[in-house]
Amino acid sequence: MKKRKIFLLLAAALTLALCACAPAGEGPRPSPSPAPSAPAPTDPSAPAPTPSVEPSLAVEPTAPPETAAGDDLPGRDYQPWQTAYMDFLTALLHAELDTREDAVAYAGLAVDERGVTAQFSIYDESPKPLSYVMSMMSESYSLYDVDKDGVPELFVKYGNCEAAYTTQCYTWRDGQVVCIGEFRSGHSALYTCPDKSAVLRSEGQMGYAEMYEYPMEGGVLTEERVLFTEEDVWDYTPVDEIVPGAEFVEYYYTQLGEWDPWPASQPQPSAGRALLLPIADWQAGPAATGSSSERARTAILAVLNGEAEVYGASGDHFYGDTGPIAWAEYVQPGGAYPYNDEPLTVSAHAWQDMNGDGQEELVLRVVRETGEDGGQPWISEAAVVLSEQDGTVYAYFFGYFDAADVFYDDGTVRQYGRDYRLSFWKGQCYEYISKSAGAAQVKWVDGSPLG
């Protein structure tokens, strides 16, 4: 067994043990940061997939992409740091699927110029190599301009448990991605530091909380400073009372880039690219994908009428990556949703601008399956967002939206108690954690827009 597999098994055992020592729900988190949404549940009524080949746990080594990540988003202009960060995250996902040893899989992803380093032992030991943390597997990333030079730093959180999370901070300079600092980050959230070249970390658990500051000097994070401590409290002191003007730094999941290999006919080509959209949208918001609702309606209705193909892409990185396909085939069993026995049928629709560019998209509620349980009928639904872009209609499939979810007229969607907005560009879509401020619910019209 390879060294990396042994490490991951040991790390998993350790983190599970650590997690068991930290009971959930004992006191609130130290910040108003949104908690990660739970992965969408597997449809219990769906039949188990039958792969065409015998599955294997081993993954063939995958080299980093030879083309720039920006090539996946044609028609958009990028600054060098954006392309570099997108290339880095893409290569990181490839390394996480690699079965070679850590030193090989993660070699060359970033230059090591760390200032502050995370402590992994109570003993005075040398800092671990970058690959030690990277091999814990990435969980999410954040963007924040620590030194206020117009280029944000990239913070990647690694690990699979609150008790084990470690964050590495990267920056872009001299044409390369450089790791400039590292710190433990369990039970934590990042915050801006408005008056200094620094980033803040708020940590709290079981009635104890601390605020840390990481100053950036000479191009690196220099040290870990404790700004505030409190214990035996139930209501933690708000972060902006400790540091006036401090704001929560949003995070974006990287695990969504791990495409679902089932079934073999659904390779999920959009999944590994969609996590790059937050970098492409940084401080600019979702890119405009059109400017004419009239043109969009004409093109979308033509697709539904079978006069043109639709390009199917996953909206939530579970199902729907079909590429170009006729709408009649898209809704058939094995099309957008691979496990339904009956064709998808449209139960309701709404014309709604979903990304704030002024051009409407068509949102469809589609029925996957119906049945009866104990004499009570049930309906399993999904949602499809149809967007016209440069003459092509893209269909973003959301396999786990149903009647319990709420769509608002500002493009926000409330699901599992959280609010999301969409950013999409051609064959990829990303869900941002967001808030709906005073928006009204979308008014659905029963059935298909075709009547």
Side-chain angles (χ1 to χ4, degrees):
M1 181 178 292
K2 294 183 181 293
K3 171 185 174 184
R4 183 165 187 266
K5 292 183 179 178
I6 296 175
F7 171 83
L8 289 174
L9 289 172
L10 292 175
L14 174 61
T15 52
L16 286 173
L18 290 172
C19 287
C21 296
E26 296 194 26
R29 292 179 63 86
S31 70
S33 62
S37 57
T42 302
D43 186 352
S45 64
T50 303
S52 57
V53 295
E54 185 68 18
S56 172
L57 294 178
V59 179
E60 289 297 323
T62 305
E66 298 179 358
T67 57
D71 292 345
D72 288 332
L73 288 79
R76 302 186 71 163
D77 295 326
Y78 302 102
Q79 297 182 42
W81 68 264
Q82 289 176 302
T83 300
Y85 285 170
M86 287 191 285
D87 283 338
F88 170 79
L89 285 179
T90 301
L92 180 63
L93 285 180
H94 280 277
E96 290 177 347
L97 293 171
D98 205 323
T99 57
R100 294 172 294 175
E101 294 184 358
D102 302 338
V104 176
Y106 297 94
L109 264 64
V111 177
D112 188 356
E113 295 182 7
R114 286 173 292 177
V116 64
T117 55
Q119 296 295 319
F120 292 93
S121 171
I122 60 175
Y123 304 104
D124 186 13
E125 296 183 352
S126 300
K128 301 293 185 181
L130 290 184
S131 60
Y132 180 88
V133 173
M134 288 181 174
S135 62
M136 294 178 180
M137 313 293 279
S138 63
E139 198 266 357
S140 63
Y141 73 89
S142 301
L143 294 164
Y144 172 55
D145 188 357
V146 179
D147 57 357
K148 320 299 191 289
D149 67 350
V151 175
E153 276 58 56
L154 173 68
F155 295 84
V156 180
K157 179 184 285 189
Y158 297 92
N160 62 359
C161 173
E162 286 290 344
Y165 283 141
T166 300
T167 293
Q168 289 185 339
C169 174
Y170 307 91
T171 194
W172 179 85
R173 62 167 173 256
D174 299 328
Q176 56 192 2
V177 174
V178 181
C179 185
I180 62 171
E182 177 183 273
F183 46 84
R184 300 302 294 274
S185 53
H187 306 284
S188 299
L190 297 182
Y191 283 80
T192 66
C193 191
D195 299 325
K196 296 181 181 180
S197 293
V199 64
L200 304 175
R201 178 171 68 89
S202 175
E203 177 181 351
Q205 183 193 24
M206 300 174 67
Y208 181 84
E210 286 188 324
M211 172 68 74
Y212 299 90
E213 177 187 82
Y214 299 92
M216 184 173 175
E217 300 172 2
V220 299
L221 301 184
T222 57
E223 59 182 315
E224 180 179 88
R225 299 175 181 172
V226 179
L227 299 183
F228 177 83
T229 301
E230 61 184 350
E231 57 185 325
D232 298 327
V233 298
W234 178 256
D235 294 322
Y236 294 106
T237 302
V239 171
D240 58 1
E241 288 187 13
I242 303 171
V243 179
E247 297 180 351
F248 173 71
V249 177
E250 188 57 89
Y251 58 88
Y252 314 103
Y253 294 112
T254 63
Q255 290 180 334
L256 294 182
E258 297 181 8
W259 51 87
D260 180 3
W262 302 100
S265 61
Q266 295 278 329
Q268 301 293 335
S270 76
R273 299 193 301 268
L275 64 87
L276 307 179
L277 283 172
I279 296 174
D281 297 340
W282 187 72
Q283 287 194 340
T289 52
S291 58
S292 172
S293 293
E294 182 179 359
R295 182 185 64 240
R297 287 195 180 213
T298 299
I300 292 171
L301 293 176
V303 163
L304 299 183
N305 271 315
E307 300 168 17
E309 288 188 322
V310 67
Y311 188 103
S314 179
D316 53 14
H317 312 295
F318 288 98
Y319 311 110
D321 270 321
T322 65
I325 188 174
W327 180 254
E329 296 179 21
Y330 182 84
V331 299
Q332 290 299 314
Y337 182 67
Y339 304 131
N340 57 313
D341 295 323
E342 299 293 331
L344 301 172
T345 58
V346 178
S347 60
H349 73 276
W351 293 97
Q352 170 64 44
D353 179 7
M354 295 298 295
N355 64 339
D357 62 1
Q359 175 173 298
E360 292 178 328
E361 281 71 45
L362 176 62
V363 187
L364 301 177
R365 284 197 181 278
V366 294
V367 176
R368 296 188 311 188
E369 293 178 285
T370 60
E372 187 177 290
D373 185 9
Q376 296 296 319
W378 55 263
I379 298 177
S380 176
E381 286 190 313
V384 181
V385 174
L386 295 165
S387 168
E388 184 275 329
Q389 301 173 42
D390 294 336
T392 298
V393 174
Y394 294 84
Y396 305 111
F397 187 83
F398 299 87
Y400 294 98
F401 282 120
D402 57 33
D405 303 316
V406 181
F407 286 72
Y408 292 91
D409 62 8
D410 63 352
T412 305
V413 183
R414 181 164 296 166
Q415 184 185 37
Y416 303 127
R418 300 220 168 268
D419 290 348
Y420 298 87
R421 290 180 187 271
L422 302 182
S423 175
F424 40 82
W425 183 265
K426 305 297 175 70
Q428 56 193 289
C429 181
Y430 194 91
E431 295 177 280
Y432 288 84
I433 297 175
S434 182
K435 290 296 179 184
S436 182
Q441 294 188 21
V442 166
K443 294 181 179 180
W444 295 93
V445 179
D446 291 339
S448 168
L450 297 181

